[in-house]
Amino acid sequence: MNTTEALQRFEETVQVYLQELDGFSMEELKYRQAEDEWSIGQMYQHLIQSALSMHLRNIELCLNPIEDAAVSSAGKTEVGMAIFEQGSFPPIRIQVPPSPQYTPEQPATKEQLIRGLDTVVQRMRQTEPMLGEASLQHTVPHPSFGGLHALEWFLLIEMHYRHHVRQLERLKQALEQQRV
C-alpha cells in the first residue's frame, strides 16, 4: 500500500470513529465494564496519544536523525515482519496491564476527542508528502516490532486505528448489555 492509499484509508477509519462518537453520551464514553478494561473514551485517547506522542514523533526522528536520538538501522522482529507482510494486526485482543504510564485518562469532553482526531489527521496529511524522501536505513525501535523506518511508522498508525475498530465494537456491545 502506498502512502496516499494509507492516508485515505486512515481518514476513512477516523470518519468511522467520528461518526460513532455522535452516538455516545459522556457517561457512556467513560463507562468501564471492569477495572482492567478501558472505556470507549480511553480507547479514543489511546489512539490520539499514541499517534501524536509516539508514532508521528518517531517518523520525525527517522526523517531528521540527530546524533543522540534513538535512530538506528536495527531491523524488525519476527512479529514486526509478520504485521507488515499482512498489512494489519492479527485479529486478537492485545491487553497491557493497567499502569499510570500506559492507561489513558478519561476524556473531559467529546470536543477534546474530536480535536485530537482532527490534529492526528492534519499531522498525517502534513507528514505524508515527506515520506517519499525518507531513508529506509534510519529506524526507531518499536517495543514489539523492532526497528521501523518513517514509512513503516506511518503505515503503523493506519493499521493501529483499524485494529482498534474491533475493540470499539466489543466495548459498544458491553455498553449495550449494560443498558438492558
Side-chain angles (χ1 to χ4, degrees):
M1 177 183 314
N2 68 38
T3 58
T4 304
E5 291 168 338
L7 180 59
Q8 180 180 352
R9 195 169 179 178
F10 171 75
E11 289 182 5
E12 290 167 1
T13 303
V14 169
Q15 281 306 309
V16 169
Y17 285 115
L18 289 169
Q19 289 166 359
E20 290 286 345
L21 199 51
D22 282 342
F24 301 117
S25 67
M26 279 309 297
E27 183 179 308
E28 291 169 330
L29 283 172
K30 293 180 176 186
Y31 171 74
R32 292 173 49 197
Q33 73 180 51
E35 268 308 301
D36 64 345
E37 288 278 345
W38 287 352
S39 69
I40 293 171
Q42 286 175 296
M43 187 204 70
Y44 274 74
Q45 293 276 65
H46 165 73
L47 288 170
I48 294 162
Q49 292 168 1
S50 62
L52 295 175
S53 302
M54 181 182 178
H55 302 124
L56 286 159
R57 184 179 57 83
N58 287 341
I59 291 171
E60 289 173 16
L61 287 173
C62 290
L63 292 173
N64 305 300
I66 52 176
E67 291 294 320
D68 301 344
V71 176
S72 71
S73 57
K76 285 188 284 307
T77 62
E78 283 186 39
V79 172
M81 284 188 276
I83 283 174
F84 283 95
E85 284 172 17
Q86 289 175 217
S88 66
F89 287 40
I92 59 169
R93 192 168 167 198
I94 302 167
Q95 193 165 12
V96 177
S99 70
Q101 309 89 291
Y102 190 75
T103 303
E105 295 290 320
Q106 291 282 12
T109 64
K110 280 188 189 185
E111 290 72 29
Q112 173 191 10
L113 299 176
I114 293 166
R115 278 193 314 274
L117 290 169
D118 286 344
T119 299
V120 176
V121 169
Q122 291 307 314
R123 292 276 310 278
M124 292 284 283
R125 287 177 181 163
Q126 293 165 356
T127 302
E128 190 267 338
M130 296 184 265
L131 296 172
E133 304 159 16
S135 167
L136 303 182
Q137 304 308 308
H138 297 134
T139 66
V140 174
H142 181 280
S144 299
F145 307 148
L148 305 180
H149 53 68
L151 173 60
E152 290 168 329
W153 280 106
F154 187 85
L155 297 174
L156 186 63
I157 297 170
E158 186 277 325
M159 287 189 272
H160 187 226
Y161 272 60
R162 195 165 18 102
H163 171 74
H164 277 281
V165 169
R166 287 189 288 270
Q167 181 181 15
L168 178 59
E169 290 305 315
R170 186 176 50 74
L171 293 173
K172 278 175 42 181
Q173 286 176 353
L175 188 57
E176 287 297 320
Q177 290 172 353
Q178 186 264 341
R179 286 179 184 156
V180 175

